[in-house]
Amino acid sequence: MPTVDDVAQAAGVSRQTVSNVLNSPEIVREATRQRVLEAISSLGYRPHASARRLRTRKSATIGVRIDPWRDGISGAVLDRFLHKLTEHADARGLRVMVFSAADPDDELARIRRLREGSDVDAFVLTATTHGDERIRALTEQGVPFVAFGRPWDPETSAVRHRWVDVDGRAGVAGAVRHLREQGARRVGWIGWPHGSGTGDERRAGWEAACGVDADARAALARHVEDGVTEGSRAAAELLALPEPPDAIVCASDSLALGAMIAARTAGRPALPVVGFDDTPVAAAVGLSSIEQPLDDVVAAALDLLFGPAGDDVRPNPSSDEEPTDRLLAPRLVERRPGHLALDAIPGT
Amino acid sequence: MPTVDDVAQAAGVSRQTVSNVLNSPEIVREATRQRVLEAISSLGYRPHASARRLRTRKSATIGVRIDPWRDGISGAVLDRFLHKLTEHADARGLRVMVFSAADPDDELARIRRLREGSDVDAFVLTATTHGDERIRALTEQGVPFVAFGRPWDPETSAVRHRWVDVDGRAGVAGAVRHLREQGARRVGWIGWPHGSGTGDERRAGWEAACGVDADARAALARHVEDGVTEGSRAAAELLALPEPPDAIVCASDSLALGAMIAARTAGRPALPVVGFDDTPVAAAVGLSSIEQPLDDVVAAALDLLFGPAGDDVRPNPSSDEEPTDRLLAPRLVERRPGHLALDAIPGT
């Protein structure tokens, strides 16, 4: 039986390139791909059952890491993502296996084991970071995967791979513009400390759309760790300014819930506050929030991995110009400040 | 090759009993079990690979349904359960597959398909209900499963099966007693409409421990749909009574968050409010809550399915007196009312 090494030698490419041709053909240059396919054909090489199952989409199984449970409102977005992934996968006859991992190295080790046992055919990475080591490692190993999260630096951007992300910058800019159209003139910002790709993008959206000068931007922005108490403290500071904000946009619903409570405490229950992720708590307390379109994210991720829904086989892109990524627009879910309408409740 | 039917005939039992002996030996009477094992041995019957894998605990896979995403704080407890299940399963070398289902019938159909493909060896049912049809169906089909949730009626109670649940009655009673020790004399209750097993148990805990007469109990209790607005409205009513409660215990964190907001609005920010499930929002806003011990729940569920962790093979209980269920005690996570300490924030 010929092996991957035989194919690699015959085609004059690395073992990894053969694996890429089998598992991620669209990331391989057309000429190389043809040479490898000819070697496979002439040698009579039969790829691994799992790779074959993946290509024919017969009961393929997708693996996804579940993070350890944390107390925190913002973790809800990845739980929601998992719900959506499971629903979309079921509808396509795909299966979803979940696993835990202590850190990126552990995640890579678990992915290796799940691949060796042919239990899982493709993976979804979540929460990509600066210098994300998983992207190069999985690409080099020829493991089919799609990332929910874009590459955040030149190194990972240089690795051609599949990813889907949500344009947080556009989402925040849209919310800020909407608040200004509603009459806000000084929109404040409560975000995270610099350095997280996601947080910096969201802040950039506020900067681009807030329409005030650099001095006012410096006065109207706070950068704190994620949390309700942190958000309320930052909002209280902003509201105590000589020229306080007349609306506040936040990088998360945790921060926004804190800002909402601080606004009530400061006697400004109608202050518009906008969070991010539209978590259950935002819906529950009547907080406006920027919603990631997770149905679209999941559909795009599965399309990139397996081809459009309804296809029986994976498409074979004719060149490496075929897009391998999708950046989707979030939308503002607007709720009336004071939605709980406590003032209207008898007896209060 | 002998079949299950051959074994059943030789042992003078039903096909289902043979399946139970293979998959759930502890729910079969000792004498019957011995007779079936002798028939298996004398005929040389070899059970299905998946059943064998399950018994030897070699890369067994557990299936669990994920509910559709709902806006609501209380859904977080099943997400937390899934995180814990994945962590404990990984530590034992077990795998977790998730799937969605539209209703109990659809769940049973999906379980059947996953079993036929030998993809999943055992299942975890969540959210058991009155007259839960899944319990009898899976028991009759000999599908190994454990329920997170007790049987709620005589019919499902009569089916010997594995389950783990949390004693909500004891949890609420303990919280009420604790509030009374702290000086509360009129502890109010905001729960769900009668008819849900879980909600009725939690209310029974309040009734047993509140220490007031039937008239006062009628005045101090409200039963509403789950939700923050519903909780705040009910709490506002209670706080407007001539003799208002001096503490409120709620059936969920959604209701409790509403009660907490209503208490602030009514000028009583220090009113003790206790929720249920210790969801992220409770931790985030500093709300006391009764926490389900999900690590213990998951450990007990896996012990019931696969035997104690560390065992290489499943234990063989010597009689059907072996317990097949576990009722665990929740604990009160106490947080200081007004934990957010907004009054202490500079500028407010």
Side-chain angles (χ1 to χ4, degrees):
Chain A
M1 284 283 285
T3 66
V4 172
D5 288 320
D6 299 332
V7 174
Q9 204 174 354
V13 299
S14 68
R15 204 177 179 291
Q16 172 201 326
T17 301
V18 176
S19 183
N20 285 346
V21 169
L22 293 170
N23 296 313
S24 317
E26 66 277 30
I27 70 171
V28 181
R29 272 174 227 293
E30 173 64 9
T32 312
R33 204 170 61 80
Q34 284 304 335
R35 209 158 68 239
V36 171
L37 288 175
E38 278 158 26
I40 285 173
S41 169
S42 67
L43 289 169
Y45 170 73
R46 302 184 60 179
H48 193 276
S50 139
R52 209 162 48 231
R53 203 162 64 222
L54 180 63
R55 278 200 312 288
T56 57
R57 293 189 56 228
K58 294 249 169 68
S59 73
T61 301
I62 308 162
V64 61
R65 192 193 75 222
I66 287 194
D67 285 321
W69 182 262
R70 279 178 309 210
D71 274 337
I73 292 166
S74 300
V77 72
L78 283 180
D79 284 325
R80 187 179 204 155
F81 175 77
L82 180 62
H83 282 257
K84 297 292 183 189
L85 179 65
T86 306
E87 286 168 39
H88 283 251
D90 277 356
R92 279 170 165 244
L94 303 165
R95 284 160 187 175
V96 178
M97 193 170 278
V98 291
F99 60 96
S100 63
D103 54 43
D105 279 343
D106 188 31
E107 182 174 1
L108 288 171
R110 286 186 180 268
I111 287 174
R112 206 155 40 236
R113 276 176 45 202
L114 288 168
R115 286 271 292 173
E116 281 164 4
S118 303
D119 293 306
V120 178
D121 309 289
F123 292 85
V124 176
L125 302 188
T126 56
T128 54
T129 57
H130 277 287
D132 200 311
E133 59 191 286
R134 301 171 301 173
I135 291 167
R136 183 170 296 278
L138 293 184
T139 303
E140 282 177 1
Q141 293 161 27
V143 176
F145 75 94
V146 61
F148 173 28
R150 75 192 81 173
W152 290 111
D153 49 67
E155 199 199 338
T156 47
S157 297
V159 179
R160 188 165 161 82
H161 68 282
R162 305 177 182 98
W163 59 261
V164 182
D165 204 2
V166 172
D167 191 344
R169 182 195 297 237
V172 170
V176 171
R177 276 194 298 270
H178 180 74
L179 289 167
R180 291 178 64 197
E181 283 162 15
Q182 307 284 309
R185 304 191 53 184
R186 291 174 67 80
V187 180
W189 171 251
I190 303 177
W192 303 317
H194 295 274
S196 88
T198 312
D200 293 347
E201 278 290 308
R202 293 178 188 175
R203 180 196 152 96
W206 168 76
E207 272 191 23
C210 64
V212 297
D213 63 26
D215 283 350
R217 284 206 303 275
L220 286 171
R222 290 292 180 281
H223 298 94
V224 296
E225 295 297 325
D226 200 52
V228 178
T229 305
E230 291 78 359
S232 69
R233 189 168 292 133
E237 283 179 19
L238 291 178
L239 292 173
L241 290 172
E243 291 186 88
D246 48 14
I248 299 178
V249 178
C250 301
S252 77
D253 280 355
S254 303
L255 294 171
L257 178 60
M260 187 187 182
I261 293 172
R264 281 179 179 266
T265 305
R268 300 191 53 187
L271 182 85
V273 174
V274 177
F276 206 108
D277 276 348
D278 197 32
T279 57
V281 73
V285 303
L287 182 68
S288 297
S289 190
I290 297 162
E291 182 193 31
Q292 302 203 35
L294 292 186
D295 274 306
D296 297 339
V297 167
V298 165
L302 294 180
D303 281 356
L304 288 174
L305 266 183
F306 298 102
D311 274 25
D312 283 333
V313 292
R314 290 181 65 199
N316 230 355
S318 57
S319 80
D320 61 2
E321 300 305 309
E322 198 76 13
T324 57
D325 51 67
R326 293 281 303 279
L327 188 62
L328 301 169
R331 74 179 184 104
L332 176 64
V333 177
E334 201 176 8
R335 298 187 177 94
R336 196 161 46 83
H339 165 81
L340 282 171
L342 293 173
D343 304 329
I345 295 172
T348 62
Chain B
M1 284 283 285
T3 66
V4 171
D5 288 320
D6 299 330
V7 174
Q9 203 174 355
V13 299
S14 69
R15 207 176 177 290
Q16 174 200 326
T17 301
V18 176
S19 182
N20 285 346
V21 169
L22 293 169
N23 297 314
S24 319
E26 66 278 29
I27 70 170
V28 182
R29 272 174 226 292
E30 173 64 8
T32 312
R33 203 170 60 79
Q34 283 305 336
R35 211 158 68 238
V36 171
L37 289 175
E38 278 158 27
I40 285 173
S41 169
S42 67
L43 290 168
Y45 170 73
R46 301 185 62 179
H48 192 277
S50 141
R52 208 162 50 232
R53 203 162 63 223
L54 179 63
R55 276 199 314 286
T56 58
R57 294 189 53 228
K58 295 247 169 70
S59 73
T61 300
I62 308 162
V64 61
R65 192 193 76 223
I66 287 194
D67 285 321
W69 182 262
R70 279 177 309 210
D71 274 338
I73 293 166
S74 300
V77 73
L78 284 180
D79 285 326
R80 186 179 205 155
F81 175 77
L82 180 63
H83 283 257
K84 296 294 182 188
L85 179 66
T86 305
E87 286 167 39
H88 283 253
D90 277 356
R92 279 171 166 244
L94 303 165
R95 283 159 186 174
V96 178
M97 193 170 278
V98 291
F99 60 96
S100 63
D103 53 43
D105 279 342
D106 188 31
E107 182 175 1
L108 287 171
R110 286 185 182 269
I111 287 174
R112 205 156 40 238
R113 276 176 45 202
L114 288 168
R115 286 271 292 173
E116 280 163 5
S118 304
D119 293 306
V120 179
D121 308 290
F123 293 85
V124 176
L125 302 187
T126 56
T128 55
T129 58
H130 278 286
D132 199 311
E133 59 192 286
R134 300 171 300 173
I135 290 168
R136 182 169 298 278
L138 293 184
T139 304
E140 283 178 1
Q141 292 162 26
V143 176
F145 75 96
V146 62
F148 173 27
R150 74 193 82 174
W152 290 110
D153 51 67
E155 199 199 337
T156 48
S157 297
V159 178
R160 190 166 159 81
H161 67 282
R162 305 179 183 95
W163 58 262
V164 183
D165 204 2
V166 172
D167 191 346
R169 181 195 297 236
V172 170
V176 172
R177 276 194 299 270
H178 180 74
L179 290 167
R180 292 179 64 198
E181 284 162 16
Q182 307 283 310
R185 303 192 54 183
R186 291 174 68 78
V187 180
W189 171 251
I190 303 177
W192 303 318
H194 295 275
S196 87
T198 312
D200 293 348
E201 277 291 308
R202 293 179 188 174
R203 180 198 152 96
W206 168 75
E207 272 190 25
C210 64
V212 297
D213 63 25
D215 283 350
R217 285 205 304 274
L220 287 171
R222 290 292 181 280
H223 297 94
V224 296
E225 295 298 324
D226 200 51
V228 177
T229 305
E230 290 79 359
S232 69
R233 190 167 292 132
E237 283 179 18
L238 291 177
L239 292 172
L241 289 174
E243 291 184 89
D246 47 14
I248 299 179
V249 178
C250 301
S252 77
D253 280 356
S254 302
L255 294 172
L257 177 60
M260 188 186 179
I261 293 172
R264 282 180 178 265
T265 305
R268 299 192 52 187
L271 182 84
V273 174
V274 177
F276 206 107
D277 277 347
D278 197 33
T279 57
V281 73
V285 303
L287 182 68
S288 297
S289 190
I290 297 163
E291 182 193 30
Q292 302 203 36
L294 292 185
D295 274 306
D296 298 339
V297 166
V298 165
L302 295 180
D303 282 355
L304 288 174
L305 267 182
F306 297 102
D311 274 25
D312 284 333
V313 292
R314 290 181 66 200
N316 231 354
S318 57
S319 79
D320 61 3
E321 300 304 310
E322 199 74 14
T324 57
D325 51 66
R326 294 280 304 278
L327 188 63
L328 301 169
R331 74 179 184 103
L332 176 64
V333 177
E334 202 176 8
R335 299 186 177 93
R336 197 161 45 84
H339 165 82
L340 282 170
L342 294 173
D343 305 329
I345 296 172
T348 62

